[in-house]
Amino acid sequence: MLARIGTTILLLVAAPAAAEVELSFYGGAQNAPHSDVFVSGDPAYPATTFVAWEGRSFDAPPYYGLRATVWRSESFGYGVDFTHNKIYPKDGELDGTPFETLEFTDGLNTLTVNAYRRWPGAFGEATPYVGGGVGVAVPHVEVSNGTTETFGYQVTGPAATWIAGASYPINDTWSVFGEYKGTYSQNSADLDGGGTLETDVITNAVNVGVSFSF
C-alpha cells in the first residue's frame, strides 16, 4: 500500500517546472464520534452494534498524514493526501457482545485526491487555505470473536475529506501549518468467517505539520 502511495506522490511531483510542488507531513489529535456497526451473513455477531469510538492519536502506531500538492497558481492547487486515521472502541463498549476485537488501529486509512484554495497575503505572512476531496478507504480491519479473526488491509469503500487551516513560512522553502481536518468513510469489510461488516465513520482532527516547497 505504501508503495502505491509513493508512486502516486511521485507522479504529482513530476509536474511542470512552472508549478510549485509542496510536500507535507502532519500529526495531531484525531477522534471520532459513535457509529452503528452492521454485520450480515455471520450469525456469530449481532446484526447491529452501537459503538462509541476514540482515537488515541499518540498511541503506537500514531495518527499521521502525508500530502503532496501542486500549486498551479498563487491561489489554486491540487494533490493527494494519505491519512492514517485510527479508531478504538471506548473502554467497556464491547462488554456483553460477541466481539473480542473490533477496531481499525493500523489505521482507518484514507487516500484522497484534493483541490485547494489559498489566500496569500490575506493575514500578513500567514496564508489561510481550505480544501476538500474524495478517494477511498483502505483500513486495517481487526475483528474477532474468539473463534474467527479478520486481520488485514482491505479497500472498503469511498472516502471524503475537508480541510481548513493556515500556513506560515520559515524561509523560502520550509513552512509550518495548523489545520482542522475531517474525513468521512464508508466501510464494507469482508469477514474471514463469512459475512460482511459495515460502518460509516467520521473523524475530526486538529493537525500541525511542516511543508517543503520547490
Side-chain angles (χ1 to χ4, degrees):
M1 183 180 65
L2 290 176
R4 294 177 183 175
I5 295 167
T7 300
T8 305
I9 291 175
L10 286 172
L11 289 173
L12 279 172
V13 170
E20 174 194 351
V21 176
E22 184 177 63
L23 304 179
S24 304
F25 172 80
Y26 57 87
Q30 169 258 311
N31 219 323
H34 66 267
S35 70
D36 287 320
V37 176
F38 305 98
V39 177
S40 59
D42 189 341
Y45 297 105
T48 305
T49 305
F50 176 90
V51 180
W53 305 105
E54 59 184 355
R56 303 182 195 174
S57 302
F58 306 107
D59 290 357
Y63 161 79
Y64 68 90
L66 303 169
R67 183 178 301 158
T69 306
V70 177
W71 292 102
R72 299 295 301 175
S73 69
E74 283 292 311
S75 59
F76 175 76
Y78 62 87
V80 293
D81 189 321
F82 170 78
T83 308
H84 181 270
N85 301 296
K86 53 184 207 158
I87 54 173
Y88 301 75
K90 291 185 176 179
D91 290 343
E93 281 298 296
L94 302 183
D95 292 352
T97 76
F99 291 102
E100 286 195 357
T101 305
L102 172 59
E103 58 189 46
F104 302 86
T105 55
D106 200 21
L108 184 62
N109 306 302
T110 57
L111 180 64
T112 58
V113 177
N114 300 345
Y116 303 96
R117 175 75 164 88
R118 65 182 179 181
W119 291 269
F123 294 96
E125 292 193 71
T127 300
Y129 60 87
V130 296
V134 295
V136 294
V138 192
H140 191 270
V141 182
E142 301 175 38
V143 181
S144 69
N145 60 12
T147 302
T148 61
E149 180 183 52
T150 302
F151 188 84
Y153 292 102
Q154 299 185 34
V155 177
T156 56
T161 189
W162 51 97
I163 302 162
S167 64
Y168 190 88
I170 299 173
N171 54 38
D172 289 343
T173 55
W174 292 94
S175 62
V176 293
F177 63 91
E179 66 184 23
Y180 161 78
K181 186 176 194 291
T183 68
Y184 168 78
S185 61
Q186 292 183 353
N187 300 279
S188 179
D190 295 328
L191 299 176
D192 286 352
T196 302
L197 181 146
E198 299 182 7
T199 187
D200 295 350
V201 179
I202 294 172
T203 68
N204 298 290
V206 176
N207 298 328
V208 292
V210 60
S211 297
F212 174 74
S213 300
F214 57 95

